[in-house]
Amino acid sequence: MAGHTRPLRILLAKLGMDTHTVGVTVIAHALREAGMEVIFTGLKQTPAMVAAAAIQEDVDVVGISTLSAGHTRSLPQLAQLLREAGAGDKLLLAGGVIPEEDRPLLEQAGVDRIFTMGSDTREIVDYLNQWWSRQPGSPD
Ligand code: B12
């Protein structure tokens, strides 16, 4: 985390009625183990709730875990809400059950990276550490 005097802060969230909790728990644990500050919103969030929490908590990254469909609507909504709030610079990640054919739509809408079923948590940690090391150092 060269150049930074504080750890990366990430908000993890689950949208809508999706109650699959294993993946998000695994990710939260792996990122905490790697020294990141992890905030989990809990279940049944709306895109507006997640955008508001991301801004209030002043996170660097927003990560959505989605296994029960609906992501082609909710993720573009979330990306749009973040941009409208002037928070479009936050890294937006998604993981879970996301069909290959949905990727172009999500990427165009502003999802920066998608990690689907079977992703190695070390790959996710490495990706975040590399992204964080490219961000300007923060004075706080
Ligand atoms: C366990 C399970 C359940 C459990 C969940 C228990 C719990 N508390 O989590 C129960 C039995 C409750 C359940 C219910 C249902 N399930 Co279910 N379930 C599964 C199953 C078998 C495994 C999911 C899992 O835990 N995987 C292990 C974790 C570690 O993997 P993961 O979540 O994918 O996470 C990894 C990556 O995706 C990624 N990742 C995930 N999130 C994030 C977030 C970020 C930020 C990042 C970076 C990475 C990341 O990193 C993780 C590590 O590699 C999957 C099938 C499957 N193979 O995925 C079906 C599956 C997800 N379920 C499915 C369905 C349909 C349902 C039900 C609708 C069934 C029903 N008719 O009732 C309900 C829906 C409940 C709801 N409202 O959401 C479908 C979804 C289909 C779809 N999306 O199109 C699947 C794919 C089964 C199938 N093949 O049809 N389910």
Side-chain angles (χ1 to χ4, degrees), residues 54-70:
I55 290 157
Q56 192 180 338
E57 296 287 352
D58 197 20
V59 293
D60 309 292
V61 184
V62 178
I64 301 297
S65 181
T66 171
L67 282 85
S68 289

Side-chain angles (χ1 to χ4, degrees), residues 10-14 17-24 26-27 31 62-69 71 93-99 113-121 124 128:
I10 178 168
L11 183 82
L12 293 176
K14 295 209 51 99
M17 300 310 285
D18 179 5
T19 58
H20 295 92
T21 50
V22 181
V24 74
V26 167
I27 296 300
L31 301 187
V62 178
I64 301 297
S65 181
T66 171
L67 282 85
S68 289
H71 51 264
L93 302 184
V97 178
I98 299 176
R113 182 76 190 255
I114 296 167
F115 291 94
T116 48
M117 204 167 61
S119 299
D120 191 326
T121 54
I124 297 168
L128 282 170

Side-chain angles (χ1 to χ4, degrees), residues 9-106:
R9 278 167 72 78
I10 178 168
L11 183 82
L12 293 176
K14 295 209 51 99
L15 295 163
M17 300 310 285
D18 179 5
T19 58
H20 295 92
T21 50
V22 181
V24 74
T25 307
V26 167
I27 296 300
H29 184 75
L31 301 187
R32 279 191 188 119
E33 284 285 300
M36 299 174 198
E37 280 184 19
V38 180
I39 299 155
F40 179 43
T41 60
L43 304 177
K44 299 185 181 166
Q45 302 292 298
T46 63
M49 288 160 81
V50 174
I55 290 157
Q56 192 180 338
E57 296 287 352
D58 197 20
V59 293
D60 309 292
V61 184
V62 178
I64 301 297
S65 181
T66 171
L67 282 85
S68 289
H71 51 264
T72 53
R73 201 179 55 253
S74 58
L75 283 172
Q77 272 176 19
L78 172 59
Q80 177 70 21
L81 287 164
L82 287 170
R83 281 193 295 271
E84 283 171 11
D89 59 331
K90 295 188 193 303
L91 188 76
L92 180 56
L93 302 184
V97 178
I98 299 176
E100 217 31 58
E101 59 265 30
D102 293 347
R103 277 179 183 262
L105 183 151
L106 297 178

